[in-house]
């Protein structure tokens, strides 16, 4: 709903993380808050901080809480990977639209533009920005792309961490219970409509390297799919089949040829049979591991030490009541209090 003062009354949650040192995060957060205050009636900025950044930025973070309204500061108990830290922020968000915002690279205008796209029926808005790639990265990219397609992971080219999610899309992701190590994968698999929002990053992104690509691909494949275990299981069965064939070949060769070295047939036969048994055993172990991974209990991937809130309010006279009972704008994602 758009009020008379042209503010959208949907509740907006903007999640940003601090996982490396920045000279002045206060000015950036103030810019985000000013933009939100200009365009939305209700909003929050969730600031998730890695453990290693707690002491480095403690004084500045306390100053932020004194000066900038609507900040929720979540301090994690340990350093975690990007999937976990983003999931920590989204799980604690209460907004109708939830935005994953890179404090160092994303322009503030993305917030309003992405919410507008989301309201048009795109429950998931994925940010894309042109990035540099090394020569070797471009060479192995088709292979990593094939591996990602194998686990049903499809993302737009040059996608970034920026996301805008409707509440129903986020609820669907949280209901799966398995998103701490695969947050962006679960977003992609939510089943809701998605669209791309292309933008220019504020800072020059680092060139993607082969090492980075291999590490990311392996983590995605291992944490997001049991396909590697199935492939190993298939290879085990194939190896056992070849071992059996070779053992029978040694017997046939001994029956039809007289120049076979004495003892060779029996040696090859028993070696092949034992190898076949080992391959079959490994295949069964892989299948049971696959079952365990699928059915295992899902424990939290992060822990919050404390939460602090802004000490200033936007408008002390504002009441949490809609000014109109009907919506004057389309909200095709059926999110929030104006559907």
């Amino acid at each position: 709903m758009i009020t008379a003062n042209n503010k959208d009354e949907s509740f907006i949650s903007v999640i940003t993380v601090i996982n490396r040192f920045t000279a002045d995060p206060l000015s950036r957060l103030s810019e985000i808050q000013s933009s939100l205050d200009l365009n939305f009636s209700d909003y929050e900025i969730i600031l998730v901080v890695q453990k290693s950044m707690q002491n480095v930025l403690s004084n500045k973070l306390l100053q932020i809480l004194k000066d900038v309204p609507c900040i929720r500061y979540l301090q994690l108990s340990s350093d975690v990977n990007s999937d976990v830290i983003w999931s920590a922020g989204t799980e604690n968000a209460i907004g109708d639209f939830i935005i994953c915002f890179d404090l160092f690279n994303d322009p503030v205008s993305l917030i309003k533009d992405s919410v507008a796209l989301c309201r048009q029926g795109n429950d998931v808005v994925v940010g894309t920005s042109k990035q540099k790639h090394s020569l070797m990265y471009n060479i192995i990219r088709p292979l990593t792309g094939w591996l990602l397609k194998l686990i049903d992971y499809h993302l737009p080219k040059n996608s970034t961490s920026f996301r805008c999610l409707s509440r129903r899309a986020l609820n669907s992701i949280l209901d799966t219970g398995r998103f701490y190590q695969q947050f962006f994968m679960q977003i992609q698999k939510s089943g809701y409509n998605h669209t791309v929002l292309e933008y220019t990053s504020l800072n020059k992104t680092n060139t993607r390297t082969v090492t980075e690509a291999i590490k990311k691909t392996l983590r995605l494949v291992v944490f997001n799919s049991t396909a590697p275990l199935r492939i190993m299981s298939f290879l085990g069965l194939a190896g056992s089949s070849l071992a059996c064939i070779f053992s029978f070949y040694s017997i046939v060769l001994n029956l039809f040829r007289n120049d076979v070295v004495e003892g060779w047939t029996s040696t090859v036969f028993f070696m092949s049979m034992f190898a076949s048994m080992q391959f079959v055993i490994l295949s069964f172990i892989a299948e049971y591991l696959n079952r365990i991974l699928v059915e295992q209990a899902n424990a939290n991937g992060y822990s919050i030490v404390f939460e602090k809130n802004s000490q200033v309010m936007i408008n002390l006279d504002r009441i949490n009541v809609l000014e109109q009972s009907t919506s004057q704008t389309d909200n095709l994602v059926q999110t929030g209090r104006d559907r």
Side-chain angles (χ1 to χ4, degrees), residues 1-2 119 324-331 337-339:
M1 178 184 294
I2 307 299
R119 294 178 69 93
Q324 301 181 30
S325 60
T326 58
S327 174
Q328 298 178 351
T329 58
D330 293 332
N331 187 4
R337 301 152 292 176
D338 56 348
R339 49 186 171 181

Side-chain angles (χ1 to χ4, degrees), residues 134-140 144 207-216:
S134 65
L135 178 61
M136 286 301 299
Y137 179 93
N138 291 327
I139 293 175
I140 70 165
T144 58
T207 302
R208 288 189 174 181
T209 62
V210 175
T211 303
E212 177 187 357
I214 293 176
K215 287 182 179 179
K216 184 176 181 180

